[in-house]
């Protein structure tokens, strides 16, 4: 079945540091890939997405590239801010049937000033 | 425009009881999906409804059921509650069956 594995947390960085959160997936066919962010006490917000191989999703300084050859979708940001502190989830969605999002376990990110 | 709304925000029940959670989708959205998020884990898919019909079901027991109403709002029902049902229940709506999903703030269920 489909699954997502992401980097264990928690991750603690200083402001302006470079961020990478690793995400790899297992899926039949060619799924769409997503990064969601969950701020404390809130629901999930879509951060970025990519729907086919070599697509790059980007938003708010975050980027991730759909790598079919390595089945990866790593999240990166060049200079993090305190406001980026949140839990980040990598997810995939198969293209057939119900739009069932399959999530990784989440990575808690804390940015210190 | 209002986002996805869920009620109640928090709920405390005891084992064996029944619970009903409610979700109102974004206006114009015809699909609602339900997810269970246990503390420290990623959300797990429970159901998707589109145009008032069940379109997908995750690996959850028959104690979990749902329905979608003519106005596209939805209810999730859980019978015979277990301690392990304690979780954040998230509702997501989308315009169609395969469009981007927008999540609500969730209902925090605690089973004692």
């Amino acid at each position: 079945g489909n699954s997502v594995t992401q980097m264990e947390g928690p991750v603690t960085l200083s402001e302006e540091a470079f961020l990478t959160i690793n995400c790899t997936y297992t899926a039949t066919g060619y799924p769409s890939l997503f990064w969601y962010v969950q701020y404390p006490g809130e629901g999930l917000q879509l951060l970025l997405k990519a729907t086919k191989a070599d697509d790059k999703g980007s938003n708010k300084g975050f980027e991730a590239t759909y790598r079919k050859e390595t089945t990866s979708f790593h999240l990166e940001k060049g200079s993090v801010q305190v406001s980026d502190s949140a839990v980040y989830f990598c997810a995939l969605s198969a293209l057939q049937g119900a739009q069932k999002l399959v999530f990784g376990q989440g990575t808690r990110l804390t940015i210190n000033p | 425009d209002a986002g996805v709304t869920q009620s109640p925000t928090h709920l405390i029940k005891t084992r064996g009881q029944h619970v009903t959670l409610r979700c109102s989708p974004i206006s114009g959205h015809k699909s609602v999906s339900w997810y269970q998020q246990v503390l420290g884990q990623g959300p797990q898919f429970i159901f998707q409804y589109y145009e008032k019909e069940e379109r997908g079901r995750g690996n959850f027991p028959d104690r979990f059921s749902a329905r979608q109403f003519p106005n596209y709002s939805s209810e999730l029902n859980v019978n015979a509650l277990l301690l392990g049902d304690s979780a954040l229940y998230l509702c997501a709506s989308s315009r169609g069956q395969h469009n981007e999903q927008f999540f609500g703030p969730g209902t925090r269920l605690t089973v004692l």
Side-chain angles (χ1 to χ4, degrees):
Chain A
N2 298 336
S3 66
V4 174
T5 301
Q6 64 181 102
M7 180 173 167
E8 294 268 344
V11 174
T12 302
L13 296 172
S14 298
E15 207 166 20
E16 300 183 2
F18 183 86
L19 168 70
T20 300
I21 301 178
N22 290 336
C23 171
T24 57
Y25 67 90
T26 301
T28 53
Y30 303 97
S32 294
L33 301 175
F34 307 85
W35 277 99
Y36 282 85
V37 58
Q38 188 172 37
Y39 297 103
E42 298 185 15
L44 295 169
Q45 298 177 26
L46 178 64
L47 182 59
L48 53 84
K49 66 179 181 181
T51 58
K52 60 183 188 295
D54 299 326
D55 267 2
K56 178 185 283 188
S58 61
N59 186 26
K60 300 181 181 179
F62 290 89
E63 292 183 339
T65 301
Y66 190 143
R67 300 287 188 200
K68 180 171 171 289
E69 63 276 12
T70 55
T71 61
S72 65
F73 192 55
H74 304 321
L75 182 68
E76 297 182 336
K77 186 174 185 182
S79 176
V80 292
Q81 306 300 313
V82 172
S83 57
D84 293 327
S85 299
V87 181
Y88 291 81
F89 293 93
C90 184
L92 67 79
S93 175
L95 297 181
Q96 287 80 35
Q99 192 188 25
K100 166 187 171 181
L101 286 166
V102 176
F103 288 88
Q105 71 271 34
T107 301
R108 180 174 297 279
L109 173 67
T110 301
I111 307 300
N112 294 321
Chain B
D1 286 340
V4 177
T5 58
Q6 294 186 242
S7 62
T9 305
H10 296 88
L11 203 52
I12 299 174
K13 293 285 189 179
T14 56
R15 281 178 297 175
Q17 285 189 310
H18 161 271
V19 70
T20 297
L21 310 181
R22 295 177 175 84
C23 172
S24 292
I26 292 170
S27 177
H29 286 194
K30 298 182 177 180
S31 177
V32 169
S33 298
W34 288 95
Y35 293 82
Q36 180 196 65
Q37 186 179 13
V38 172
L39 194 63
Q41 297 182 20
Q44 298 286 321
F45 173 79
I46 309 176
F47 288 109
Q48 184 187 31
Y49 276 77
Y50 174 62
E51 288 284 16
K52 301 177 284 296
E53 291 187 8
E54 183 183 305
R55 301 295 178 142
R57 183 186 183 113
N59 188 24
F60 282 81
D62 291 344
R63 299 184 296 108
F64 288 76
S65 63
R67 55 181 175 168
Q68 187 176 32
F69 298 99
N71 67 353
Y72 302 107
S73 66
S74 178
E75 284 182 353
L76 175 70
N77 295 283
V78 187
N79 293 323
L81 285 167
L82 303 174
L83 295 179
D85 295 331
S86 295
L88 181 67
Y89 288 84
L90 296 166
C91 172
S93 78
S94 58
R95 191 168 299 279
Q97 187 175 350
H98 294 286
N99 296 104
E100 177 183 340
Q101 295 187 12
F102 294 83
F103 284 82
T107 293
R108 172 77 60 190
L109 172 65
T110 302
V111 182
L112 302 176

PDB file of all heavy atoms in Angstrom, chain A residues 5-26:
ATOM      1  N   THR A   5       7.203   8.234   4.706  1.00  0.00           N
ATOM      2  CA  THR A   5       8.134   8.231   5.833  1.00  0.00           C
ATOM      3  C   THR A   5       8.856   9.567   5.859  1.00  0.00           C
ATOM      4  O   THR A   5       9.422   9.988   4.846  1.00  0.00           O
ATOM      5  CB  THR A   5       9.169   7.107   5.690  1.00  0.00           C
ATOM      6  OG1 THR A   5       8.496   5.849   5.619  1.00  0.00           O
ATOM      7  CG2 THR A   5      10.104   7.092   6.901  1.00  0.00           C
ATOM      8  N   GLN A   6       8.800  10.244   6.976  1.00  0.00           N
ATOM      9  CA  GLN A   6       9.491  11.520   7.065  1.00  0.00           C
ATOM     10  C   GLN A   6      10.421  11.549   8.260  1.00  0.00           C
ATOM     11  O   GLN A   6      10.319  10.738   9.176  1.00  0.00           O
ATOM     12  CB  GLN A   6       8.526  12.700   7.053  1.00  0.00           C
ATOM     13  CG  GLN A   6       7.580  12.799   8.218  1.00  0.00           C
ATOM     14  CD  GLN A   6       6.648  14.002   8.101  1.00  0.00           C
ATOM     15  OE1 GLN A   6       5.496  13.866   7.733  1.00  0.00           O
ATOM     16  NE2 GLN A   6       7.152  15.170   8.483  1.00  0.00           N
ATOM     17  N   MET A   7      11.323  12.501   8.186  1.00  0.00           N
ATOM     18  CA  MET A   7      12.386  12.665   9.149  1.00  0.00           C
ATOM     19  C   MET A   7      11.830  12.744  10.566  1.00  0.00           C
ATOM     20  O   MET A   7      10.854  13.442  10.823  1.00  0.00           O
ATOM     21  CB  MET A   7      13.089  13.969   8.802  1.00  0.00           C
ATOM     22  CG  MET A   7      14.236  14.397   9.618  1.00  0.00           C
ATOM     23  SD  MET A   7      14.926  15.846   8.790  1.00  0.00           S
ATOM     24  CE  MET A   7      15.978  16.432  10.065  1.00  0.00           C
ATOM     25  N   GLU A   8      12.481  11.996  11.456  1.00  0.00           N
ATOM     26  CA  GLU A   8      12.069  12.035  12.853  1.00  0.00           C
ATOM     27  C   GLU A   8      12.370  13.404  13.432  1.00  0.00           C
ATOM     28  O   GLU A   8      13.370  14.022  13.117  1.00  0.00           O
ATOM     29  CB  GLU A   8      12.830  10.973  13.643  1.00  0.00           C
ATOM     30  CG  GLU A   8      12.494   9.546  13.252  1.00  0.00           C
ATOM     31  CD  GLU A   8      11.384   8.979  14.098  1.00  0.00           C
ATOM     32  OE1 GLU A   8      11.085   9.559  15.155  1.00  0.00           O
ATOM     33  OE2 GLU A   8      10.807   7.953  13.704  1.00  0.00           O
ATOM     34  N   GLY A   9      11.507  13.848  14.337  1.00  0.00           N
ATOM     35  CA  GLY A   9      11.785  15.099  15.016  1.00  0.00           C
ATOM     36  C   GLY A   9      12.085  14.836  16.476  1.00  0.00           C
ATOM     37  O   GLY A   9      12.306  13.689  16.858  1.00  0.00           O
ATOM     38  N   PRO A  10      12.026  15.856  17.285  1.00  0.00           N
ATOM     39  CA  PRO A  10      11.869  17.247  16.869  1.00  0.00           C
ATOM     40  C   PRO A  10      13.161  17.819  16.291  1.00  0.00           C
ATOM     41  O   PRO A  10      14.239  17.312  16.537  1.00  0.00           O
ATOM     42  CB  PRO A  10      11.489  17.956  18.170  1.00  0.00           C
ATOM     43  CG  PRO A  10      12.115  17.128  19.240  1.00  0.00           C
ATOM     44  CD  PRO A  10      12.085  15.712  18.745  1.00  0.00           C
ATOM     45  N   VAL A  11      12.996  18.879  15.504  1.00  0.00           N
ATOM     46  CA  VAL A  11      14.115  19.599  14.919  1.00  0.00           C
ATOM     47  C   VAL A  11      14.148  21.002  15.525  1.00  0.00           C
ATOM     48  O   VAL A  11      13.129  21.681  15.549  1.00  0.00           O
ATOM     49  CB  VAL A  11      13.971  19.699  13.387  1.00  0.00           C
ATOM     50  CG1 VAL A  11      15.064  20.567  12.796  1.00  0.00           C
ATOM     51  CG2 VAL A  11      13.984  18.315  12.751  1.00  0.00           C
ATOM     52  N   THR A  12      15.298  21.388  16.026  1.00  0.00           N
ATOM     53  CA  THR A  12      15.472  22.718  16.610  1.00  0.00           C
ATOM     54  C   THR A  12      16.583  23.435  15.872  1.00  0.00           C
ATOM     55  O   THR A  12      17.685  22.899  15.744  1.00  0.00           O
ATOM     56  CB  THR A  12      15.807  22.633  18.108  1.00  0.00           C
ATOM     57  OG1 THR A  12      14.760  21.924  18.783  1.00  0.00           O
ATOM     58  CG2 THR A  12      15.925  24.024  18.707  1.00  0.00           C
ATOM     59  N   LEU A  13      16.274  24.633  15.378  1.00  0.00           N
ATOM     60  CA  LEU A  13      17.248  25.435  14.637  1.00  0.00           C
ATOM     61  C   LEU A  13      17.251  26.866  15.159  1.00  0.00           C
ATOM     62  O   LEU A  13      16.286  27.301  15.795  1.00  0.00           O
ATOM     63  CB  LEU A  13      16.898  25.450  13.145  1.00  0.00           C
ATOM     64  CG  LEU A  13      16.939  24.126  12.388  1.00  0.00           C
ATOM     65  CD1 LEU A  13      16.377  24.314  10.988  1.00  0.00           C
ATOM     66  CD2 LEU A  13      18.360  23.582  12.330  1.00  0.00           C
ATOM     67  N   SER A  14      18.303  27.569  14.830  1.00  0.00           N
ATOM     68  CA  SER A  14      18.355  29.010  15.119  1.00  0.00           C
ATOM     69  C   SER A  14      17.777  29.776  13.948  1.00  0.00           C
ATOM     70  O   SER A  14      17.774  29.296  12.800  1.00  0.00           O
ATOM     71  CB  SER A  14      19.792  29.440  15.370  1.00  0.00           C
ATOM     72  OG  SER A  14      20.320  28.777  16.500  1.00  0.00           O
ATOM     73  N   GLU A  15      17.276  30.954  14.235  1.00  0.00           N
ATOM     74  CA  GLU A  15      16.728  31.808  13.181  1.00  0.00           C
ATOM     75  C   GLU A  15      17.779  32.020  12.091  1.00  0.00           C
ATOM     76  O   GLU A  15      18.972  32.127  12.377  1.00  0.00           O
ATOM     77  CB  GLU A  15      16.309  33.150  13.783  1.00  0.00           C
ATOM     78  CG  GLU A  15      15.213  33.850  13.035  1.00  0.00           C
ATOM     79  CD  GLU A  15      14.588  34.987  13.837  1.00  0.00           C
ATOM     80  OE1 GLU A  15      15.229  35.477  14.797  1.00  0.00           O
ATOM     81  OE2 GLU A  15      13.458  35.373  13.506  1.00  0.00           O
ATOM     82  N   GLU A  16      17.306  32.040  10.844  1.00  0.00           N
ATOM     83  CA  GLU A  16      18.127  32.231   9.645  1.00  0.00           C
ATOM     84  C   GLU A  16      18.920  30.993   9.241  1.00  0.00           C
ATOM     85  O   GLU A  16      19.657  31.040   8.258  1.00  0.00           O
ATOM     86  CB  GLU A  16      19.056  33.445   9.776  1.00  0.00           C
ATOM     87  CG  GLU A  16      18.303  34.758   9.990  1.00  0.00           C
ATOM     88  CD  GLU A  16      19.218  35.968  10.040  1.00  0.00           C
ATOM     89  OE1 GLU A  16      20.437  35.803   9.867  1.00  0.00           O
ATOM     90  OE2 GLU A  16      18.706  37.070  10.262  1.00  0.00           O
ATOM     91  N   ALA A  17      18.758  29.893   9.944  1.00  0.00           N
ATOM     92  CA  ALA A  17      19.418  28.642   9.550  1.00  0.00           C
ATOM     93  C   ALA A  17      18.735  28.054   8.325  1.00  0.00           C
ATOM     94  O   ALA A  17      17.595  28.398   7.986  1.00  0.00           O
ATOM     95  CB  ALA A  17      19.400  27.650  10.700  1.00  0.00           C
ATOM     96  N   PHE A  18      19.435  27.111   7.659  1.00  0.00           N
ATOM     97  CA  PHE A  18      18.891  26.387   6.517  1.00  0.00           C
ATOM     98  C   PHE A  18      18.138  25.169   7.020  1.00  0.00           C
ATOM     99  O   PHE A  18      18.603  24.455   7.911  1.00  0.00           O
ATOM    100  CB  PHE A  18      20.025  25.949   5.578  1.00  0.00           C
ATOM    101  CG  PHE A  18      19.544  25.263   4.333  1.00  0.00           C
ATOM    102  CD1 PHE A  18      19.175  25.991   3.219  1.00  0.00           C
ATOM    103  CD2 PHE A  18      19.435  23.875   4.279  1.00  0.00           C
ATOM    104  CE1 PHE A  18      18.718  25.373   2.068  1.00  0.00           C
ATOM    105  CE2 PHE A  18      18.981  23.241   3.131  1.00  0.00           C
ATOM    106  CZ  PHE A  18      18.619  23.987   2.023  1.00  0.00           C
ATOM    107  N   LEU A  19      16.965  24.929   6.438  1.00  0.00           N
ATOM    108  CA  LEU A  19      16.114  23.827   6.878  1.00  0.00           C
ATOM    109  C   LEU A  19      15.974  22.774   5.786  1.00  0.00           C
ATOM    110  O   LEU A  19      15.733  23.107   4.617  1.00  0.00           O
ATOM    111  CB  LEU A  19      14.717  24.345   7.225  1.00  0.00           C
ATOM    112  CG  LEU A  19      13.631  23.288   7.436  1.00  0.00           C
ATOM    113  CD1 LEU A  19      13.884  22.517   8.728  1.00  0.00           C
ATOM    114  CD2 LEU A  19      12.248  23.915   7.436  1.00  0.00           C
ATOM    115  N   THR A  20      16.117  21.505   6.178  1.00  0.00           N
ATOM    116  CA  THR A  20      15.719  20.382   5.329  1.00  0.00           C
ATOM    117  C   THR A  20      14.946  19.404   6.184  1.00  0.00           C
ATOM    118  O   THR A  20      15.407  19.025   7.265  1.00  0.00           O
ATOM    119  CB  THR A  20      16.935  19.646   4.732  1.00  0.00           C
ATOM    120  OG1 THR A  20      17.698  20.536   3.934  1.00  0.00           O
ATOM    121  CG2 THR A  20      16.472  18.480   3.873  1.00  0.00           C
ATOM    122  N   ILE A  21      13.782  19.012   5.730  1.00  0.00           N
ATOM    123  CA  ILE A  21      13.024  17.928   6.350  1.00  0.00           C
ATOM    124  C   ILE A  21      12.832  16.864   5.272  1.00  0.00           C
ATOM    125  O   ILE A  21      12.232  17.111   4.231  1.00  0.00           O
ATOM    126  CB  ILE A  21      11.653  18.375   6.884  1.00  0.00           C
ATOM    127  CG1 ILE A  21      11.814  19.480   7.926  1.00  0.00           C
ATOM    128  CG2 ILE A  21      10.916  17.182   7.500  1.00  0.00           C
ATOM    129  CD1 ILE A  21      10.499  20.019   8.469  1.00  0.00           C
ATOM    130  N   ASN A  22      13.371  15.681   5.528  1.00  0.00           N
ATOM    131  CA  ASN A  22      13.329  14.615   4.531  1.00  0.00           C
ATOM    132  C   ASN A  22      11.983  13.907   4.498  1.00  0.00           C
ATOM    133  O   ASN A  22      11.360  13.682   5.544  1.00  0.00           O
ATOM    134  CB  ASN A  22      14.427  13.597   4.802  1.00  0.00           C
ATOM    135  CG  ASN A  22      15.813  14.157   4.527  1.00  0.00           C
ATOM    136  OD1 ASN A  22      15.970  15.095   3.752  1.00  0.00           O
ATOM    137  ND2 ASN A  22      16.817  13.606   5.172  1.00  0.00           N
ATOM    138  N   CYS A  23      11.576  13.530   3.292  1.00  0.00           N
ATOM    139  CA  CYS A  23      10.338  12.782   3.101  1.00  0.00           C
ATOM    140  C   CYS A  23      10.536  11.810   1.946  1.00  0.00           C
ATOM    141  O   CYS A  23      10.975  12.215   0.861  1.00  0.00           O
ATOM    142  CB  CYS A  23       9.181  13.721   2.788  1.00  0.00           C
ATOM    143  SG  CYS A  23       7.660  12.892   2.273  1.00  0.00           S
ATOM    144  N   THR A  24      10.251  10.541   2.166  1.00  0.00           N
ATOM    145  CA  THR A  24      10.252   9.549   1.104  1.00  0.00           C
ATOM    146  C   THR A  24       8.901   8.851   1.087  1.00  0.00           C
ATOM    147  O   THR A  24       8.201   8.813   2.109  1.00  0.00           O
ATOM    148  CB  THR A  24      11.364   8.514   1.280  1.00  0.00           C
ATOM    149  OG1 THR A  24      11.220   7.877   2.549  1.00  0.00           O
ATOM    150  CG2 THR A  24      12.742   9.148   1.178  1.00  0.00           C
ATOM    151  N   TYR A  25       8.543   8.298  -0.052  1.00  0.00           N
ATOM    152  CA  TYR A  25       7.222   7.695  -0.166  1.00  0.00           C
ATOM    153  C   TYR A  25       7.291   6.360  -0.897  1.00  0.00           C
ATOM    154  O   TYR A  25       8.246   6.073  -1.625  1.00  0.00           O
ATOM    155  CB  TYR A  25       6.258   8.645  -0.899  1.00  0.00           C
ATOM    156  CG  TYR A  25       6.603   8.855  -2.351  1.00  0.00           C
ATOM    157  CD1 TYR A  25       6.086   8.039  -3.352  1.00  0.00           C
ATOM    158  CD2 TYR A  25       7.459   9.886  -2.729  1.00  0.00           C
ATOM    159  CE1 TYR A  25       6.414   8.223  -4.675  1.00  0.00           C
ATOM    160  CE2 TYR A  25       7.797  10.080  -4.056  1.00  0.00           C
ATOM    161  CZ  TYR A  25       7.277   9.252  -5.020  1.00  0.00           C
ATOM    162  OH  TYR A  25       7.603   9.432  -6.345  1.00  0.00           O
ATOM    163  N   THR A  26       6.274   5.560  -0.674  1.00  0.00           N
ATOM    164  CA  THR A  26       6.046   4.321  -1.414  1.00  0.00           C
ATOM    165  C   THR A  26       4.638   4.393  -1.963  1.00  0.00           C
ATOM    166  O   THR A  26       3.690   4.652  -1.209  1.00  0.00           O
ATOM    167  CB  THR A  26       6.176   3.103  -0.489  1.00  0.00           C
ATOM    168  OG1 THR A  26       7.477   3.085   0.097  1.00  0.00           O
ATOM    169  CG2 THR A  26       5.953   1.811  -1.259  1.00  0.00           C
TER     170      THR A  26
END
